[in-house]
């Protein structure tokens, strides 16, 4: 496997240096940007494997860059870990809702962050072992992160995509909200169970435009299941 490329977007040079040293020692290639605009340019040019993104940046805040990354077809698949001094839960929820994959509160130990990066990359590797998934009229291409139904593209947010990819890889199995949070959001979840319901609703609405909303089934008292056959209970 090629060297892991990490983009660090952080205005504090001491933190950039500390991260640069730790990540390079671990055999990773490090790109550094002191603000959102340079971070955006480096992401576009170098297509890093993962982005560490500071929330509080001069000018454009990190969460705005996050939204811009997740709205871009070529960049939205890149996992992002938010670095922040803001411990408020509402900020964390906003970060996750915008598409952050993980969240680290300052001050953090570089080795703990490295472990987090490795865990995240492993988790994504597991989810992308196949190039595409078929189910019923639906096709999910895990390279381009595109989903289509009968050849027409389905517009999905990053979390809805991740949910659907997980469901399609585990066809006909029932998952509790807690399991879905674990699998899709990672094991350091700060979002509440009802967040799953919000994303399930969005996912169903997107599928509804193509007549496939029945693929996402509510299993009373248990959770959710993905199935292309009608529920018979
Ligand atoms: Ca900062």
């Amino acid at each position: 496997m090629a060297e892991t490329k990490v983009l660090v977007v952080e205005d504090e040079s001491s933190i950039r240096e500390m991260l640069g040293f730790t990540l390079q020692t671990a055999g990773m290639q490090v790109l550094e940007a002191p603000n959102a605009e340079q971070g955006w340019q480096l992401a576009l040019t170098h297509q890093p494997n993962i982005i560490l993104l500071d929330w509080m940046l001069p000018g454009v805040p990190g969460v705005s860059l996050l939204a811009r990354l997740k709205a871009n077809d070529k960049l939205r698949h890149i996992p992002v870990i938010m670095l922040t001094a803001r411990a408020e839960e509402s900020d964390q929820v906003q970060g996750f809702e915008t598409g952050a994959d993980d969240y680290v509160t300052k001050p953090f130990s570089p080795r703990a962050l490295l472990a987090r990066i490795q865990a995240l990359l492993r988790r994504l590797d597991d989810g992308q072992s196949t190039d595409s998934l078929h189910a019923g009229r639906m096709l999910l291409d895990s390279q381009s992160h595109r989903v289509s139904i009968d050849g027409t593209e389905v517009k999905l947010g990053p979390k809805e995509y991740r949910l659907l990819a997980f469901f399609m890889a585990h066809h006909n199995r029932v998952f509790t909200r807690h399991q879905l949070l674990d699998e899709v959001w990672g094991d350091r979840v700060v979002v509440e169970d009802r967040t799953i319901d919000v994303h399930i609703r969005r996912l169903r609405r997107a599928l509804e435009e193509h007549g496939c909303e029945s693929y996402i089934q509510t299993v009373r008292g248990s959770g959710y299941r993905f199935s292309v056959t009608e529920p018979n209970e």
Side-chain angles (χ1 to χ4, degrees), residues 10-12 54 56-57 106:
E10 163 65 77
D11 59 312
E12 283 167 67
D54 183 26
M56 300 288 272
L57 290 167
K106 294 176 184 174

Side-chain angles (χ1 to χ4, degrees), residues 70-83:
K70 293 301 171 185
N72 184 285
D73 280 351
K74 292 194 175 65
L75 303 176
R76 70 160 56 104
H77 67 280
I78 303 174
V80 177
I81 299 181
M82 296 296 294
L83 311 176

Side-chain angles (χ1 to χ4, degrees), residues 1-7 46-51 77-79 121 124:
M1 194 183 133
E3 198 174 41
T4 301
K5 243 186 279 178
V6 186
L7 169 60
H46 294 274
Q47 301 273 325
N49 301 94
I50 188 163
I51 299 174
H77 67 280
I78 303 174
L121 291 174
L124 295 176

